[in-house]
Amino acid sequence: MLLSINPLFNIPDTATPFGKVVLIINFVISIVVPLLYLSQNFFSLLGLLFKPKRFKETTKNNKFGYIICAHNEEEVLKNLIDSIYKQDYPKKLMEIFVICDNCEDRTKDIALECGCHVIERNDEYKIGKCYALDFGIKEILSKFDYLNIDTFCVFDADNLLDVNYTKKMNDVYNANINVCTSFRNSKNFSKNSVSACSGMMFLRECQIIHKGRILVGSGTYISGTGFMVSKKVLTDLNGWPFETLIEDIEFSIYCANNGIKISYCPDAVFYDEQPICIKDYFIQRLRWCRGNHQCWIKYSWSLFKNMFNRRSLTCSEMLIHVTPFPAFLFIWVLIFVGLLGANAIIYDLSFNEFLNSGVIYALSHFLFGIGMSLFHGFVLIVRSRKQIKCNGFKLFIYWLLFPIYMIILLIASVLALFVKVSWKRTPHDCNITIDEV
């Protein structure tokens, strides 16, 4: 996060009265905002120093359903289905459901050829994964109840599963966990800097945020795909009634507010396709940021109340997660420099006096943010080096570039406060199999 503290802050005796007020406001912001993110830095240390929590192996096998949302995914769908069939798990306890959402290609035919249950949805007005999930889950609960499925795993069509994914999630379910996310790796990490830095963000989630939260006993959140949710939870919800642009975080907020702890299983590994061009990366992040802001507007008060009513660390973390503090801080820095500029003009200050009046302090926010991005990148690389398919030199370059992509994410967060964003499909064309990975 692009945040900083000015520990040696002092107000120059030569500062104008207006300048002093502006500097005091900046000082308060510089202290308060980083304190809110203190937990993330604490999680970084936990991620570096401690091993993740693991689940005890069990012998009881439960029946799994795999829900795949697919919109024109003929290029990649078969590879995901193939990786599911290759699971080290009894095949009689596995059922695959493909939700063909407004498909115009061979997605449905491929799903049928592979022996999957196909659920078709055609609605040109309600566009997005949230509507497809809601429609598909309702169909599964009403028409396929006879299959006696215990729990479900939800994936995007471009995903691939490690051979032990289901076995590890079965251990989680047997530990009386109703919702659990998993280790998200990339199947095209080393394609270029865009895919690598995008993948590093998800490794950061796993090695720092998810891992740290579980180690301190907090719940975490699901991130779009690669998660398990029990039939009981879906039945209670009667579908998937979450319609923001990031329905995954909205569901996570529902869990936090209702005392459902989302766990994390580091041994359940799946592979995701990352965008390979900066335009797709930015559009995807802009949508996510806009959805995050929607959740902040919609749920910040309920999270704040339950933070105290339930004494819930999870609600506290989710409130910080959805509140766009970095975007607000970025806007404040621009306002801060503008006010100092106005102060310099009004009081006829020199350029050096303008710089010394507080502009250097403003720049320190960004320097601190770059430093924290590099530190987080270092932690996740140290912890994930064996899982990252990339040579050392390229990985070093990607690590140096990582803060740039975090800055792009920050810019997307700021723009998402003001621009209208709609759901757009991210292209998936990395046609490789689980064996090749």
Side-chain angles (χ1 to χ4, degrees):
M1 297 299 173
L2 303 187
L3 311 168
S4 71
I5 296 176
N6 300 320
L8 301 178
F9 183 89
N10 60 82
I11 299 176
D13 294 333
T14 57
T16 67
F18 178 74
K20 287 181 180 180
V21 172
V22 175
L23 290 171
I24 290 171
I25 294 173
N26 181 66
F27 175 65
V28 173
I29 293 173
S30 297
I31 293 294
V32 172
V33 176
L35 287 175
L36 296 173
Y37 286 92
L38 192 62
S39 61
Q40 284 201 13
N41 297 323
F42 177 62
F43 294 158
S44 299
L45 293 175
L46 290 179
L48 182 63
L49 298 175
F50 296 96
K51 293 181 178 180
K53 177 183 176 181
R54 287 185 157 84
F55 292 88
K56 181 181 178 181
E57 290 187 17
T58 59
T59 56
K60 178 187 176 184
N61 291 327
N62 302 281
K63 193 166 188 180
F64 277 76
Y66 306 82
I67 301 175
I68 305 169
C69 284
H71 172 66
N72 294 338
E73 300 287 5
E74 63 181 6
E75 292 292 328
V76 294
L77 178 61
K78 189 176 185 303
N79 293 331
L80 169 58
I81 296 171
D82 179 60
S83 72
I84 295 175
Y85 283 138
K86 289 183 177 179
Q87 292 291 289
D88 182 15
Y89 201 75
K91 301 301 179 286
K92 64 181 180 179
L93 297 178
M94 301 164 61
E95 302 286 348
I96 304 175
F97 301 90
V98 178
I99 305 170
C100 298
D101 184 32
N102 293 301
C103 291
E104 299 170 342
D105 63 358
R106 294 192 65 252
T107 297
K108 174 186 174 182
D109 297 333
I110 291 171
L112 289 173
E113 290 168 6
C114 293
C116 304
H117 303 286
V118 172
I119 299 169
E120 284 191 275
R121 175 181 177 270
N122 293 289
D123 189 329
E124 60 184 28
Y125 298 105
K126 291 186 175 181
I127 304 297
K129 181 181 175 182
C130 59
Y131 301 111
L133 265 180
D134 186 48
F135 179 86
I137 290 172
K138 285 177 178 175
E139 289 284 295
I140 292 169
L141 293 177
S142 63
K143 296 182 180 180
F144 296 93
D145 190 57
Y146 68 91
L147 293 174
N148 296 317
I149 294 172
D150 298 299
T151 191
F152 294 88
C153 291
V154 180
F155 298 102
D156 291 338
D158 61 293
N159 299 160
L160 297 171
L161 308 192
D162 177 78
V163 67
N164 290 316
Y165 187 95
T166 305
K167 181 190 293 185
K168 296 301 180 182
M169 279 299 188
N170 184 64
D171 293 337
V172 173
Y173 184 73
N174 283 335
N176 296 317
I177 302 295
N178 282 304
V179 187
C180 183
T181 191
S182 54
F183 188 93
R184 186 173 191 165
N185 207 335
S186 302
K187 65 182 185 182
N188 62 335
F189 185 96
S190 62
K191 181 72 175 180
N192 57 28
S193 65
V194 181
S195 61
C197 291
S198 179
M200 287 173 70
M201 289 184 184
F202 291 115
L203 291 175
R204 174 181 173 274
E205 277 190 348
C206 295
Q207 296 289 20
I208 294 177
I209 300 177
H210 296 328
K211 179 181 173 183
R213 289 184 179 183
I214 300 307
L215 285 173
V216 300
S218 171
T220 187
Y221 58 88
I222 64 168
S223 186
T225 183
F227 62 92
M228 180 200 74
V229 54
S230 71
K231 180 182 178 181
K232 178 184 181 302
V233 171
L234 294 181
T235 301
D236 291 342
L237 287 169
N238 190 31
W240 194 257
F242 309 107
E243 297 184 356
T244 62
L245 288 171
I246 49 169
E247 86 294 328
D248 49 348
I249 297 300
E250 191 176 2
F251 169 72
S252 302
I253 293 171
Y254 164 82
C255 290
N257 279 333
N258 289 276
I260 301 172
K261 186 174 288 188
I262 300 177
S263 193
Y264 163 61
C265 181
D267 297 319
V269 180
F270 78 101
Y271 299 86
D272 192 27
E273 181 177 344
Q274 304 304 324
I276 59 174
C277 75
I278 196 72
K279 179 182 177 182
D280 290 338
Y281 171 87
F282 184 78
I283 290 174
Q284 185 184 65
R285 265 53 181 188
L286 183 65
R287 170 166 55 86
W288 292 350
C289 289
R290 181 63 178 180
N292 213 65
H293 301 344
Q294 289 174 337
C295 287
W296 167 60
I297 294 170
K298 192 174 181 180
Y299 295 106
S300 57
W301 178 241
S302 64
L303 286 170
F304 181 77
K305 288 192 299 182
N306 285 322
M307 193 170 76
F308 297 100
N309 293 342
R310 292 180 175 273
R311 297 177 183 175
S312 172
L313 177 61
T314 306
C315 287
S316 171
E317 287 297 318
M318 289 306 302
L319 179 60
I320 294 172
H321 183 92
V322 298
T323 305
F325 288 119
F328 292 153
L329 183 60
F330 181 85
I331 293 171
W332 162 250
V333 169
L334 296 180
I335 295 172
F336 176 60
V337 173
L339 291 174
L340 291 178
N343 178 68
I345 293 172
I346 293 170
Y347 291 95
D348 196 25
L349 303 180
S350 68
F351 182 71
N352 285 336
E353 288 174 317
F354 165 63
L355 290 179
N356 293 330
S357 66
V359 175
I360 302 301
Y361 293 138
L363 293 177
S364 71
H365 290 290
F366 297 98
L367 294 176
F368 183 84
I370 290 172
M372 288 309 303
S373 297
L374 289 173
F375 174 62
H376 286 180
F378 171 76
V379 171
L380 66 89
I381 286 174
V382 169
R383 281 297 184 185
S384 306
R385 185 64 188 98
K386 292 181 180 180
Q387 290 95 341
I388 297 175
K389 309 300 180 184
C390 183
N391 70 59
F393 177 75
K394 288 176 68 175
L395 186 57
F396 176 72
I397 298 299
Y398 296 151
W399 172 65
L400 292 178
L401 293 174
F402 184 54
I404 295 176
Y405 288 88
M406 295 295 283
I407 292 172
I408 294 173
L409 176 62
L410 173 63
I411 294 171
S413 181
V414 173
L415 288 177
L417 289 169
F418 306 103
V419 300
K420 184 178 180 181
V421 182
S422 58
W423 183 87
K424 291 183 179 179
R425 177 181 178 270
T426 302
H428 296 145
D429 54 11
C430 184
N431 188 13
I432 63 173
T433 67
I434 188 61
D435 296 326
E436 291 172 310
V437 172

